[in-house]
Amino acid sequence: MPCHWSWTTMSTWRQFLQTRMKTRRLYLALCLTLVLLVINVVAYQTILGDSSKRTKLFGTKSRRRRQDADVPDISNSATVFESNRLPMTGNSTSYTLNTRLMASVGNGHLATTVYSDTIFVNGLYSGDGFKGRSHRATIPSPNNIRVTLPSEEGAVRRYALDVEKGVFFETVTTDQVTVEQRTYAHQFYTRLLVTEIHVTRRQDTGDIVIGLTTNPGSDGQDLLCDAISSPSATSRYRRGTINVTETATSPRSEIHMYWTPVPSTITLASSESQTSVSYITSIDTDQSTAREAFEIGRQFARGDLYPTHLESWRKVWDAGRIEVEGNLDLQKIINGALYYILSSLPAQNHYGTANQFYGLSPGGLANGKLLQDYQGHSFWDTEIWMYPPILMLHPTLAKDMLSYRIHVRGPAYDRAQENGHQGLRFPWESAFTGVEVTPGDICWECRENQQHITGDIAFAARQYVSATRDLGWLTDENGWELIRETARFWKSRPTFNQKRGLYDINGVMPPDEIHHTVNNSIYTNVVAKLSMDFANYTACLVGEADETAEEVESWVTDVGDRLYLPEITDEKYHPEFEGYPKGELIKQADVILLGYPLMWKMSDEVRRNDLNVYEEVTDRNGPAMTWSMFCVGWLELQEYSKASQMFLDSYSIYVKEPFKVWTEAHQGLGAVNFITGMGGFLQAVLFGYGGFRLHVDHLDLNPVLPPDTDGMKIHGLDYMGSSLDFTISRDHVTINVTSLGGDYPLEITAGDASYTLQEGVPVQLPRGPATIATTRQDSNRCTPPVVGDGTAGRLQATIWVFMLSVLLTAMQ
C-alpha cells in the first residue's frame, strides 16, 4: 500500500532537510576555516623567514677600478679637480673642446658650463609645453672668454675646478708672465656671473699684451631681444622676452641683462708688476634687481667681491658635508657630487630676495637645451634621488625643493580633475607653470602613466616632516595641503575589484619604463598607501578638525589598507607588477626601492631574493643611479662584498675626468651632468655605509666604513633642529652636537644604554645599531603609521575575506 504524505508532513520534512544541509555546510565551513587558519600561520611564518644576518665585515676587499681617463685629474687636493688639458671631441684630424664634459659653475639662480656660449637662469623656459618642447631658454654668455698669449712657446696651461671655492681656474704660465682666469657664479650676489683675469709679471720684458677672445653665442630662437644699449662706456644692457610661452595663458617672462664689455686685449705696462680686470654679467627677471646687482659687482670688483663669494661657499660646506679618510679618489667624487647638486640649488647665504625656485633637473641648472638633457624638466629624480642627502645635510634647501611643487600645484589639481580624480596629480615632467611637459611624441605612456610621481612627492614631504618636525611649514607654507591633497588623489585613483574585494591601481607605468602599461605596480601601490597613511598622521600633527581628520582616516581604512599588492611568489620575491614574468628585462631600480628608500618591511629572505632576482634582469646599460640602490640593499643584509661591487658600479663608469662630470648612460653620454646619478651615489654613502634610516618618529643608524677607507665623518647632519657630527671608525661612532635645537631635545640609544645629546659633549659608542629620538613629552601624541611589508598582513586579509565569504555563503 503506497504511502501518502500530507502537505504538512512534506513541509516539515523539507525544513528538516534544509536545516540538516545548513548544519553540514556550516560544519564544512568551520573545518575549512580551521584549515585556512593553519595555512595562514604557516604562510605568515614562512614570509617572515629567517632574520639571521651575516656578521663578518669586509669579507672581500673591493676591486679598485679607476676609469682610464684620457684627461686625468692630476691634483692631490680633495677639493680641486685639475688637468693640463681639456676634454676634447673629434677625430684624428680635427679636435674641438667637448663642453659636454666641462665643469660648470652655478648658484641656483644662474649657471653656465665653463667655455660654453650659454647661460641658464632658474625658471626661464621657452617652448610649447603641450608639445613637450618647453626647455631652458638659452641666454648668450658674455663670459665665454679665452686668454691668448703673443707666443705659446713654453706656455704651461692648467685648468682646475675648485669645488670648495666654487671657482673654475685657468692658469697660463710662461717665462715672462702668469695669467690666472677665474670664473664663478657668485654665491652671495646671486645675479652675478664673474670672470676675473689677473696678470702677474715674471720678467722685465716691457709691455705684455694679453689677447682676449669671446664667443657669446647667437640670440637663438628662445628669446626676443631688444637692441643692445650702452648705459655707460663700461656697461651694456639688453632686455629679452620668452619667444614661446609654455601655455597659451602663461606669462611671457622677461630677462634683463647688464654686462661689462670685453676688450680684445689687456696690456700689462712695463711699469706694472701686475694688473687685474673683472668682467661681470648680471641677470634677473626684474630690471631694477639686475641693475642693482651689476652696480654692486662693479663697486666691489677690486675689493670684497671675490672674498664674499668664498665666504658664502665656506658656510655651505661648514653646514653639511661628508669626509672619508684614506681614499682620495672617493673623496673627490663625493665632493664633486655635492658641489654639482648644491650649485643648482638656491644659495643659502645671499644678498637680497631670492626668486621662486623652479626645481632640480637631471642635468642640473647648467644644462637643458631643446631636446637635450631632459630640457631642464623636473621628474621623480628630484624627490627620490637627489632629495634625501640634501634633506639630511641642508634641510632648508630640501624645503626649497618642496616649495617648487607647492608653487605649481594649480595645474596638478586640474590634471587630477581632467581624469575624473580628486586632489593633486603632478605631471611626470614639469617646468615653469607646472603643466605636463613630457614630449608625447617621444614617450606618450610616460606622460600619461608614470603617476607614481605624485607618491614620490608625497614621500619627500613625509621625509621632510620626519627630519625637521617643521609644523610651521605644514600650517603656514601649504605643506599640509600638499600632503593632504596628494593623498586625496590616491584615495580617488584606485578602482574596486569585486572579485578579490580589494582596490587596484590599473594602467600605470612603474619606475621600470620598459613595462609602460601595467596593473598594480607594487612600487606605485606602496607609495600610494604611504601617502594616505602619512596624511592621516599629519592630520593629527596639525590638530585638524575632527570632521577632516575622520575623512582622512577613512581614506586609509577604506582604500589604503585595502590596496592590492602583488603577492610574494612561492619563490619569495616581490613581482614588479601583477602578472610580471620572472626573468623579463627591466630598465632600472624598481622593486628594490621598497626596502630603501621606502623602508617597506619584509623578511631578509624576501629582501635578498628581490635583490638577486632583479639584479639579474636589470639593463646593464640603464641609468647611473640604479646600482647605488643595490649597494644599500646588500649593506642592509651585511653582504659587504656584493655591496662593495655595486657601490663601485654606481659611479666608476659614469664619472668622467678630469672635472668629475657624470653621464647618465653606461655607454655613451645620455644626459649630462647627471645629478640624478650623483644623488643615488650620495645615498649609498650616507644611507648605505652611513646606515641612516629616517623614520617618522626616530632616526636609526648602523654605519659601516666604505671600501678602502680608514674612517668617515658626516659633518652637519640635521635632525629635529639639531646639527650633529658623526665620526665613524672601524670600532666606534662618536656623535658630537654642534648646534642643539631647543624645541626637540634628543637622546641616543644603543643596546641597553641611553645618552642625552648635549652641545659640545661627545658621545662615543661601539660601532653598531643605534637610535636617535626626541624626549619631548608631547612628540608621540600622534601614532606613527605602520610601514609593513604588508605581505603577511595582506595575505591574512585576503584569507580572512575569503573565509568570511565562505561563512556568509554557508549561512544562506
Side-chain angles (χ1 to χ4, degrees), residues 60-63 631 635 639-649 689 707-708:
T60 304
K61 192 172 184 178
S62 67
R63 297 198 313 262
C631 170
L635 285 169
E639 296 272 7
Y640 298 110
S641 178
K642 289 183 178 180
S644 177
Q645 187 57 54
M646 289 294 100
F647 184 56
L648 193 62
D649 289 348
Y689 287 101
D708 304 306

Side-chain angles (χ1 to χ4, degrees), residues 17-32:
L17 290 177
Q18 288 174 355
T19 302
R20 184 176 180 182
M21 290 175 67
K22 284 185 178 181
T23 303
R24 285 182 175 179
R25 287 200 299 266
L26 182 58
Y27 176 78
L28 290 173
L30 289 173
C31 290
L32 180 59

Side-chain angles (χ1 to χ4, degrees), residues 147-157 172-177 179 208-211:
V147 169
T148 61
L149 301 180
S151 171
E152 289 287 327
E153 183 178 356
V156 176
R157 288 183 181 263
V172 190
T173 302
T174 68
D175 291 341
Q176 289 78 35
V177 68
V179 180
I208 298 175
V209 179
I210 307 298

